Amino acid sequence: MVSKGLKPSVATYNSMVDGWCKEGEIESAMSCVARMYEDERDPDVVTYTSLIHGLCASGRPGEAISRWNEMKGRGCCLNVITFMALVQGLCKCVWTSEALVYFREMEEKEMEPDSGVYVSLMSSFLLSGNISEGFGIFREMVCKGRFPVLVDRNYMVAVDATNKFVEDYRTSCYITCLIKDGRFPIVAVVNRK
């Protein structure tokens, strides 16, 4: 395409950036974005979402936040998918406090996170040993009706977290209250002893 003198569209560039990010070839993706600027094609929300996801997956959360800020600075419209990519990516890098900031910003903008975002944030808090913050996110997830359904890939992670909360003296009574209030399905509490 390029050798024939044609300039790729933003959609074509986005396909390349997304593919490289998914393959872990983040430097190639970044070079592709630089080429977009050379060809006078402005990156859009799809470009930035792919980069944010790829940078976090490559263990470069600081650069992902820089791209987020660049995106906002360029007036690119933030959407729920981009927010979820950033929050989940930061959680995977165990940048939990930062992820919580963007999660709250997402809520302020009245964007509804899916169960995967709640589970990622909750799991990240648990991984860092912060059971009370993890339970706070868990309780929000349950009260907003976002507990994963049985066929959701996050279901067993949520069930495992539930068991941790049942076993911990600081949170077990709250699980009982959620069940009594009818907010939480008792079937999700699995006793593995």
Side-chain angles (χ1 to χ4, degrees):
M1 180 188 267
V2 173
S3 68
K4 292 184 186 265
L6 300 172
K7 286 187 178 182
S9 67
V10 172
T12 302
Y13 275 117
N14 285 345
S15 293
M16 300 297 293
V17 169
D18 187 56
W20 275 316
C21 286
K22 286 179 177 168
E23 291 296 317
E25 298 288 333
I26 198 68
E27 295 309 322
S28 296
M30 302 285 263
S31 295
C32 190
V33 172
R35 179 69 188 256
M36 286 180 80
Y37 288 117
E38 290 171 16
D39 285 346
E40 299 176 350
R41 303 281 195 243
D42 289 332
D44 63 11
V45 67
V46 175
T47 317
Y48 283 110
T49 301
S50 294
L51 277 177
I52 287 165
H53 182 269
L55 286 163
C56 287
S58 296
R60 296 159 65 172
E63 290 177 64
I65 291 172
S66 293
R67 288 297 176 159
W68 174 271
N69 292 330
E70 177 185 318
M71 180 175 74
K72 285 175 71 174
R74 293 171 96 17
C76 200
C77 186
L78 304 170
N79 66 28
V80 68
I81 295 167
T82 308
F83 267 101
M84 291 193 307
L86 181 63
V87 171
Q88 288 181 295
L90 293 174
C91 287
K92 286 179 184 166
C93 295
V94 198
W95 281 38
T96 316
S97 298
E98 293 82 356
L100 184 60
V101 169
Y102 294 103
F103 178 79
R104 295 297 179 216
E105 184 180 340
M106 186 179 180
E107 288 181 323
E108 286 171 17
K109 294 184 181 298
E110 298 181 359
M111 295 180 181
E112 288 291 327
D114 66 12
S115 64
V117 173
Y118 283 103
V119 170
S120 292
L121 196 53
M122 175 190 64
S123 297
S124 189
F125 275 121
L126 290 175
L127 186 63
S128 64
N130 193 337
I131 195 160
S132 60
E133 284 289 337
F135 185 73
I137 297 298
F138 174 84
R139 188 171 46 217
E140 283 181 49
M141 176 180 70
V142 169
C143 290
K144 290 184 179 182
R146 295 284 188 228
F147 193 88
V149 294
L150 185 60
V151 294
D152 188 320
R153 64 188 168 104
N154 294 302
Y155 180 76
M156 285 312 299
V157 177
V159 168
D160 288 343
T162 302
N163 287 319
K164 286 179 185 166
F165 297 134
V166 166
E167 293 167 4
D168 192 283
Y169 72 94
R170 295 167 289 185
T171 54
S172 60
C173 64
Y174 295 110
I175 295 287
T176 304
C177 291
L178 288 171
I179 293 169
K180 283 182 181 177
D181 289 346
R183 295 184 178 270
F184 186 69
I186 195 164
V187 72
V189 180
V190 178
N191 188 353
R192 296 183 181 205
K193 291 180 181 179

